[in-house]
């Protein structure tokens, strides 16, 4: 039974809850295992035509703080990139409308997940960004969905600068659809949206989503493969190993 | 002001100096797009494409309180095949508007809904006012807005278009302006004068430079991609012919 990521059903809406709050829902071996299991169950529910809306949220202070640093230091980065890329592709190709409810930071891999969702709502303390070049990691794996979801210019600036955006700025570049003034307003708005989507015709929504994917190029598995390859190209570099080791060292001594 | 004769009054075409105005003229039905209206637009577009002496800008307008309430599906409610044909012809009309050699401005007062909002984003510029009602509520009705998606994506970006089309609903003029549906937001009582003033400014530009720029922009953003534009119409047409969509529409029309 997955516990680091939980899947809840309230047909026709499913909710994936990232549930490792003490580690700010960082993507670890356990979280990936459970996330993949939950997505298998999501596929089953969609195939049975009982559900066509998927809500994703995080438990605790953060939506998702990116990859687990300790695991990366132990050599997990290439497999983490592959698993993240696959999850992003699955979310984008899912025959359900995927709604992200983002409170707190959604950084690096967390921001990649957000960029793969169809509709994103952000809370007052949300933060979006890719502060990973400083670790010697390329966020290119996220560009397959970030570029078409925002604009080439905005995606370029966000990934290269390493800066993070607040909720309003995320709305400004099209990464989020709406920003909310407090946590309960965020949650209420996402519930209302999911209820609205749930009342709509599943086949129609599916057709619209598929054509959107075709229009913006994300229907193409090759785009995800190239995006991943660009991140993998530097995943085993000396530079990455030296930088992650320095981070771990300062953590141990700090 | 000169009026150019068309075979119907459902659409009017007038010129005033360098500015031609194509007006949807079915105010009693909030300019809902019937098959006859689409045919009238085709006729007007033929005249514009053939070249009207001195015309350098086209304004697309709607007579009465609203710009365009979208497709008049009720009028063909017993004929899903005809609904599909209407969608295909609307897509073709949109493509022709997009490819006119002169810049186009939608002057949007009141409602621009569904296909009406689609016409708004096909134009190079769109003027509206805060009290306007804009959007794509197609998914709320169980129909698929794929036909308008290509130009919406080009206008506001794929991410915003995704959220807008999948969530359905409508929005006011200010939100529409913020989202990029409209390029200009002016007070309602200045809509006509502001649009005309802007059109006159455009008309002063070098016409060859403007049409070359417009052609290159069309090439850059995929507006010359016949296959993609046709596909959007096909998807919408296919979906509207399903029993599910038809049942939803029948319920809607009964209200």
């Amino acid at each position: 039974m997955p516990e680091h990521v939980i899947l809840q059903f309230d047909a026709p809406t499913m909710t994936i809850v990232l549930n490792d709050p003490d580690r700010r829902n960082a993507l670890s071996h356990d979280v990936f295992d459970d996330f993949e299991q939950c997505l298998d169950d999501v596929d089953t529910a969609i195939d049975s035509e009982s559900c066509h809306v998927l809500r994703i949220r995080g438990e605790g202070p953060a939506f998702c703080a990116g990859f687990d640093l300790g695991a990366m230091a132990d050599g997990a980065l290439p497999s983490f990139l592959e698993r993240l890329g696959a999850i992003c592709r699955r979310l984008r190709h899912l025959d359900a409308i995927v709604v992200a409810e983002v409170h707190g930071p959604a950084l690096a891999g967390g921001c990649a997940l957000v960029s793969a969702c169809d509709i994103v709502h952000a809370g007052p303390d949300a933060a979006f960004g890719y502060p990973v070049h400083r670790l010697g990691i390329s966020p290119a794996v996220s560009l397959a969905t970030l570029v078409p979801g925002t604009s080439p210019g905005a995606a370029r600036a966000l990934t290269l600068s390493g800066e993070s955006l607040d909720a309003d700025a995320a709305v400004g570049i099209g990464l989020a659809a709406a920003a909310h003034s407090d946590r309960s307003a965020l949650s209420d708005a996402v519930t209302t949206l999911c209820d609205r989507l749930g009342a709509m015709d599943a086949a129609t929504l599916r057709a619209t989503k598929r054509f959107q994917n075709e229009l913006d190029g994300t229907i193409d598995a090759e785009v995800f493969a190239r995006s991943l390859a660009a991140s993998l190209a530097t995943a085993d570099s000396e530079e990455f190993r030296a930088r992650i080791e320095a981070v771990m060292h300062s953590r141990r001594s700090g | 002001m000169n009026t150019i004769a068309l075979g119907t009054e459902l659409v009017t075409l007038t010129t005033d100096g360098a500015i031609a105005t194509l007006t949807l003229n079915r105010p009693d039905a909030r300019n809902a797009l019937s098959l006859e209206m689409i045919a009238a637009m085709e006729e007007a577009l033929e005249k514009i494409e053939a070249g009207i002496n001195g015309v350098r800008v086209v304004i697309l307008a709607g007579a009465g309180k609203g710009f365009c309430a979208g497709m008049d599906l009720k009028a063909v409610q017993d004929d899903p095949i005809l609904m599909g044909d209407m969608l295909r012809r609307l897509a073709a009309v949109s493509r022709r508007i997009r490819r006119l050699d002169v810049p186009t401005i939608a002057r949007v007062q009141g409602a621009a809904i569904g296909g009406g909002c689609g016409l708004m984003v096909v134009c190079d510029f769109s003027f509206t006012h805060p009290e306007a009602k804009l959007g794509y509520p197609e998914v709320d009705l169980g129909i698929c807005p794929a036909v308008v998606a290509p130009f919406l994506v080009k206008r506001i970006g794929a991410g915003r278009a995704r959220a807008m089309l999948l969530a359905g609903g409508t929005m006011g003029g200010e939100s529409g302006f913020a989202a990029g549906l409209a390029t200009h937001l002016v007070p309602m009582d200045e809509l006509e004068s502001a649009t005309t003033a802007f059109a006159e400014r455009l008309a002063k530009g070098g016409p060859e430079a403007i049409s070359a720029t417009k052609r290159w922009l069309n090439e850059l953003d995929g507006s010359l991609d016949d296959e993609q534009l046709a596909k959007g119409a096909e998807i919408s047409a296919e979906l509207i012919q399903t029993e599910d969509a038809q049942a939803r529409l029948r319920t809607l029309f009964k209200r």
Side-chain angles (χ1 to χ4, degrees):
Chain A
M1 193 66 180
E3 55 184 71
H4 295 92
V5 180
I6 300 170
L7 179 61
Q8 299 163 340
F9 288 98
D10 182 12
T13 297
M14 304 163 277
T15 303
I16 281 183
V17 183
L18 304 175
N19 190 40
D20 196 2
D22 295 344
R23 302 161 73 91
R24 293 160 33 99
N25 299 320
L27 298 165
S28 59
H29 291 290
D30 287 338
V31 169
F32 273 121
D33 287 347
D34 289 357
F35 207 138
E36 288 156 357
Q37 172 67 52
C38 286
L39 282 177
D40 290 344
D41 296 341
V42 162
D43 284 339
T44 307
I46 292 171
D47 289 344
S48 72
E49 298 188 358
S50 60
C51 291
H52 65 269
V53 181
L54 174 62
R55 174 180 192 162
I56 302 181
R57 64 179 185 82
E59 195 63 44
F63 177 81
C64 173
F67 290 156
D68 179 71
L69 287 174
M72 279 198 290
D74 291 336
L77 179 61
S79 88
F80 278 9
L81 287 167
E82 282 176 17
R83 295 175 88 175
L84 174 67
I87 287 175
C88 289
R89 192 186 66 231
R90 286 180 77 175
L91 291 174
R92 180 47 60 100
H93 291 171
L94 211 57
D95 276 336
I97 307 308
V98 185
V99 179
E101 174 182 345
V102 181
H103 76 276
L107 297 174
C111 199
L113 290 176
V114 166
S115 76
C117 296
D118 295 306
I119 305 177
V120 178
H121 281 233
D125 49 357
F128 303 88
Y130 300 88
V132 292
H133 282 119
R134 63 188 171 81
L135 297 174
I137 302 172
S138 164
V141 65
S142 185
L143 288 173
T145 49
L146 184 70
V147 170
T150 58
S151 70
R156 185 177 290 264
L158 184 59
T159 50
L160 293 177
S161 69
E163 291 171 350
S164 63
L165 303 178
D166 64 13
D168 288 330
V171 172
I173 66 165
L175 179 57
H180 301 280
S181 54
D182 61 58
R183 182 81 180 268
S184 69
L186 167 67
S187 168
D188 291 349
V190 172
T191 301
T192 303
L193 173 63
C194 290
D195 288 348
R196 272 173 60 87
L197 292 166
M200 292 175 191
D201 178 55
T204 314
L205 284 170
R206 184 164 64 231
T208 304
K209 175 167 173 171
R210 282 184 185 168
F211 188 55
Q212 294 269 4
N213 289 350
E214 187 169 333
L215 272 181
D216 72 15
T218 53
I219 201 166
D220 185 1
E222 177 69 18
V223 171
F224 287 91
R226 280 164 44 210
S227 206
L228 171 63
S231 277
L232 283 176
T234 57
D236 196 27
S237 65
E238 272 305 318
E239 175 171 291
F240 163 68
R241 279 197 292 272
R243 286 178 181 240
I244 194 79
E245 186 47 47
V247 170
M248 296 311 288
H249 180 76
S250 75
R251 287 201 157 192
R252 281 190 295 267
S253 55
Chain B
M1 174 123 70
N2 297 311
T3 300
I4 295 170
L6 299 174
T8 164
E9 291 186 352
L10 288 169
V11 165
T12 63
L13 182 59
T14 59
T15 63
D16 187 0
I19 301 168
T21 303
L22 195 169
T23 306
L24 307 175
N25 190 32
R26 199 185 169 209
D28 295 345
R30 296 184 301 144
N31 299 317
L33 297 164
S34 62
L35 205 52
E36 294 76 14
M37 276 192 79
I38 295 173
M41 289 179 80
E42 289 166 348
E43 191 189 345
L45 283 168
E46 263 166 43
K47 306 262 187 202
I48 298 170
E49 285 163 351
I52 303 170
N53 203 11
V55 165
R56 293 186 173 179
V57 182
V58 172
I59 294 175
L60 182 61
K65 287 185 177 164
F67 175 72
C68 175
M71 303 279 288
D72 188 359
L73 295 175
K74 198 171 180 178
V76 290
Q77 59 177 303
D78 298 324
D79 194 341
I81 304 291
L82 201 53
M83 286 186 189
D85 287 346
M86 281 170 70
L87 286 163
R88 290 185 193 96
R89 282 177 70 177
L90 179 63
V93 161
S94 301
R95 195 177 62 202
R96 287 170 72 178
I97 293 173
R98 183 67 155 207
R99 295 180 189 175
L100 288 176
D101 265 344
V102 295
T104 52
I105 309 171
R107 188 178 74 209
V108 177
Q109 84 284 15
I113 308 293
C117 202
L119 289 176
M120 174 174 178
V121 299
V122 164
C123 292
D124 299 310
F125 304 92
S126 309
F127 278 63
T128 194
H129 58 93
E131 300 80 5
K133 185 179 170 189
L134 314 170
Y136 303 93
E138 279 92 334
V139 289
D140 298 307
L141 313 179
I143 59 182
C144 170
V147 63
V148 301
F151 291 112
L152 182 67
V153 166
K154 298 175 206 324
R155 176 67 145 257
I156 68 173
R160 285 189 179 132
R162 181 177 290 266
M164 195 178 287
L165 292 183
L166 292 177
T170 58
M171 69 196 89
E174 282 177 12
S175 301
F177 175 64
L181 290 179
T183 58
H184 294 72
L185 184 73
V186 298
M188 186 155 60
D189 57 2
E190 294 171 23
L191 181 67
E192 193 159 342
S193 59
T195 309
T196 304
F198 185 72
E200 282 168 351
R201 191 169 82 72
L202 288 178
K204 288 185 184 134
E208 283 174 24
I210 286 178
S211 63
T213 304
K214 183 166 169 174
R215 275 198 298 270
W216 174 230
L217 288 170
N218 280 346
E219 189 171 334
L220 272 180
D221 76 6
S223 295
L224 303 182
D225 183 346
D226 286 342
E227 201 179 325
Q228 185 189 71
L229 301 179
K231 180 152 187 182
E234 278 317 309
I235 292 170
S236 285
E238 223 168 84
L239 245 292
I240 211 166
Q241 289 164 15
T242 61
E243 186 41 46
D244 253 22
Q246 289 293 315
R248 281 180 180 247
L249 287 173
R250 279 194 296 275
T251 312
L252 179 75
F253 296 144
K254 268 189 212 138
R255 274 192 221 146

